[in-house]
Amino acid sequence: MKLLLFVTGRGIGGDAVIAHTISEALNERNISTKIVLDSKAQGYYYKNKNISWLKSSIPAAGGHASTKLNLFKAGLKTIKAIIQASLLIKSEKADGVVGIIGGGVVVGCLAAKLSGVPVVGVVSTPNDTKISIKCNPTILLPESPLFNSKNNISKYPSIDNYIPIKTDIVNGDKENILDILPDNYNSTKKSVLFSSGSTLFEDMAKAVRKYAEESDNINIFLIGEPLNDVVRDIVDYPNIMNLGYINYIKHLYDLIDLAVITDDGATLHETIACEIPVVVVVGVKYGRYHGLSKVFDGAVMESNVDNITSVVNDALSNELEMKKATKKYSSNIIHGTDTLVDFILENL
């Protein structure tokens, strides 16, 4: 069986990671897969792993932050994109399609319908959810408005599922990175990681800077490529250990006591799988709010930039209780990839 995985975004962040995780899990079941990205996508995540991909137009409307204007503009491009994607499906002689989040779902699922091949949608935004449940079997990730909802009326099967992660993420060993950490790392202090994913957004930069200015007894790690020079300047501060874009995240997870991240995506699932308490800074990415502290009750605290220091310190004070709460979810997250792949194969 050969499947095409249509993926939204630039091929550098969370959606690309999710697609790669699904692809690898399918490959382990002897299913051939090929990633499809938008023709303009940089694909840095896949380049770094020497993974090739196919190109097809996948218009984006901005995901959770989409506006009516963005949706209208994306909609105008979608018909042409669906036809182009359908031709790709046929030329690749694919047996089925997996549409992954946003435009990847819209284009992938509708092109599969046009091509007469089965398809499963993996959704997380209001718009991809609406389209997928009306057209095909659907996997609802926690950011989807229908996750854990009793109002999902569809003639197609669907499941709630945590975001798939690589299961070896829990096998990190901090001893592997102690020699490469900055000189100001102090093993006797608590360690906190700040991250907004592969890209460092301005509000997360402001949060880490504020915390660094008000805390001198904590190892403060920061990862991610700054969005622009303004963000780069904000995090230029002596007690912020800015690690940039790293490839040893699982070892860093083994080192830290608390993660300060955004209210979305694979990083939240990875940290909880590793039984790390979490503080989410809400609204960092274009004002988005997903309420995932309710999905992971007790393991996640919410903050904004203004009160970041008090919330992080409260979380560190309640670290043991929060860590206990992470254990309620860790196993299900780790096994979530298998559940997701089972559903795909049952419906293709």
Side-chain angles (χ1 to χ4, degrees):
M1 178 184 286
K2 179 179 182 179
L3 303 179
L4 297 188
L5 277 58
F6 283 78
V7 187
T8 194
R10 296 171 292 169
I12 66 174
D15 295 335
V17 175
I18 290 170
H20 183 223
T21 302
I22 294 173
S23 176
E24 285 196 324
L26 286 165
N27 293 161
E28 290 174 1
R29 306 278 190 100
N30 296 316
I31 305 298
S32 173
T33 61
K34 199 72 176 178
I35 298 291
V36 184
L37 296 177
D38 182 73
S39 302
K40 297 179 181 178
Q42 300 97 322
Y44 296 143
Y45 177 81
Y46 297 112
K47 281 183 181 178
N48 289 338
K49 297 181 178 297
N50 294 316
I51 296 171
S52 62
W53 65 88
L54 301 172
K55 296 181 179 181
S56 190
S57 176
I58 305 177
H64 290 276
S66 63
T67 63
K68 289 182 179 179
L69 179 59
N70 287 341
L71 286 170
F72 177 72
K73 289 179 178 179
L76 292 177
K77 300 176 183 177
T78 297
I79 294 176
K80 183 178 178 181
I82 291 168
I83 295 171
Q84 183 182 351
S86 177
L87 293 173
L88 178 64
I89 293 168
K90 292 176 181 177
S91 67
E92 289 291 322
K93 297 180 180 178
D95 299 296
V97 166
V98 181
I100 300 177
I101 304 177
V105 170
V106 176
V107 173
C109 290
L110 296 179
K113 288 286 188 181
L114 184 61
S115 304
V117 299
V119 58
V120 171
V122 182
V123 305
S124 72
T125 75
N127 297 306
D128 63 16
T129 299
K130 288 177 185 176
I131 290 174
S132 188
I133 62 170
K134 291 178 181 178
C135 297
N136 45 256
T138 301
I139 297 167
L140 300 155
L141 300 182
E143 294 166 26
S144 167
L146 291 184
F147 184 82
N148 278 345
S149 171
K150 295 180 174 60
N151 298 320
N152 178 17
I153 301 173
S154 174
K155 66 178 182 179
Y156 298 100
S158 66
I159 59 167
D160 296 324
N161 204 88
Y162 291 124
I163 288 177
I165 64 169
K166 298 184 185 302
T167 54
D168 69 346
I169 198 72
V170 301
N171 297 328
D173 185 349
K174 61 186 177 184
E175 298 296 328
N176 292 332
I177 60 170
L178 292 179
D179 291 341
I180 63 173
L181 293 179
D183 291 339
N184 55 336
Y185 168 69
N186 186 334
S187 61
T188 66
K189 295 180 179 180
K190 293 282 188 180
S191 294
V192 177
L193 170 66
F194 283 76
S195 170
S196 54
S198 56
T199 301
L200 177 61
F201 286 80
E202 186 169 346
D203 273 359
M204 185 60 73
K206 290 178 179 177
V208 68
R209 175 63 178 261
K210 182 174 177 61
Y211 187 70
E213 289 176 348
E214 298 173 351
S215 309
D216 58 4
N217 62 339
I218 301 289
N219 293 308
I220 302 171
F221 292 107
L222 175 66
I223 61 173
E225 187 63 26
L227 188 63
N228 51 47
D229 288 339
V230 172
V231 173
R232 199 181 307 276
D233 290 341
I234 292 172
V235 299
D236 184 13
Y237 195 74
N239 62 331
I240 297 175
M241 288 180 270
N242 189 354
L243 305 179
Y245 192 90
I246 65 173
N247 60 3
Y248 51 85
I249 187 64
K250 69 178 182 180
H251 302 310
L252 190 60
Y253 284 156
D254 188 52
L255 176 72
I256 64 172
D257 300 287
L258 178 74
V260 182
I261 55 181
T262 53
D263 182 30
D264 66 347
T267 302
L268 178 58
H269 286 67
E270 288 177 350
T271 48
I272 294 178
C274 293
E275 299 180 8
I276 300 168
V278 171
V279 169
V280 294
V281 185
V282 300
V284 167
K285 296 181 179 179
Y286 315 110
R288 298 177 191 168
Y289 176 71
H290 305 298
L292 295 191
S293 61
K294 300 179 184 66
V295 174
F296 300 112
D297 185 41
V300 176
M301 296 176 67
E302 291 184 355
S303 175
N304 53 47
V305 174
D306 292 339
N307 66 345
I308 186 66
T309 300
S310 62
V311 176
V312 168
N313 289 341
D314 283 347
L316 288 171
S317 297
N318 291 283
E319 180 186 349
L320 293 180
E321 287 302 311
M322 292 183 71
K323 197 173 183 66
K324 287 180 183 177
T326 64
K327 296 179 186 295
K328 295 187 294 184
Y329 310 105
S330 177
S331 179
N332 286 337
I333 293 174
I334 292 169
H335 293 103
T337 303
D338 285 335
T339 304
L340 182 148
V341 170
D342 287 343
F343 182 87
I344 290 174
L345 296 181
E346 287 167 4
N347 289 279
L348 289 181

